[in-house]
Amino acid sequence: MAATYDFPSDLLAGQEELHQVRAELSALLKRLPWSVEPLDGFSDDSGWRKVERAASPGWTADEQAEVEKLRRREHELVVFVSTHRYWAELTGADRVHARSRLKHVHETPEGPA
């Protein structure tokens, strides 16, 4: 049976918010143009595969601010989760396994009802 860990609620909340921020940032970056600054499109077929990009209008100031806000929050959460006092209670392989479990704790289905 896999080990279970009694993660503190603030650590669980921090990890869950980190997942949400990363998902939001990923979705935003997929929607935005490929270049922050306006750039002409290009086509290059001299490599091992052809690469083409349409012209990029660049990101608006609001889009840049939103990306920066999400990246800053992601950094804050990574620091919070990785330096949480809970990790001092564990050593060696237990700490590594617990960190891995924390990353996936939101995926674990609840026990039988």
Side-chain angles (χ1 to χ4, degrees):
M1 181 166 170
T4 58
Y5 300 95
D6 189 21
F7 297 115
S9 60
D10 63 332
L11 181 56
L12 288 167
Q15 183 65 48
E16 181 60 28
E17 185 180 353
L18 179 57
H19 282 300
Q20 292 170 356
V21 167
R22 283 183 169 162
E24 190 176 337
L25 179 58
S26 178
L28 176 60
L29 291 172
K30 286 178 183 175
R31 286 192 314 268
L32 292 175
W34 62 270
S35 175
V36 177
E37 299 295 325
L39 286 176
D40 293 334
F42 65 89
S43 178
D44 181 6
D45 58 1
S46 62
W48 64 277
R49 67 183 178 121
K50 187 175 184 173
V51 177
E52 290 183 315
R53 298 269 179 152
S56 172
W59 297 359
T60 66
D62 288 344
E63 291 167 337
Q64 290 181 40
E66 182 66 16
V67 168
E68 180 60 28
K69 180 182 97 174
L70 289 170
R71 285 182 174 159
R72 189 174 299 122
R73 185 62 183 148
E74 177 186 32
H75 181 262
E76 291 168 357
L77 289 165
V78 166
V79 170
F80 173 77
V81 169
S82 63
T83 62
H84 194 278
R85 66 189 174 282
Y86 176 76
W87 304 121
E89 299 174 13
L90 303 169
T91 58
D94 287 336
R95 184 182 298 165
V96 173
H97 188 258
R99 285 183 185 245
S100 181
R101 292 292 306 140
L102 178 65
K103 291 178 185 178
H104 300 283
V105 75
H106 68 287
E107 299 169 1
T108 305
E110 294 296 320

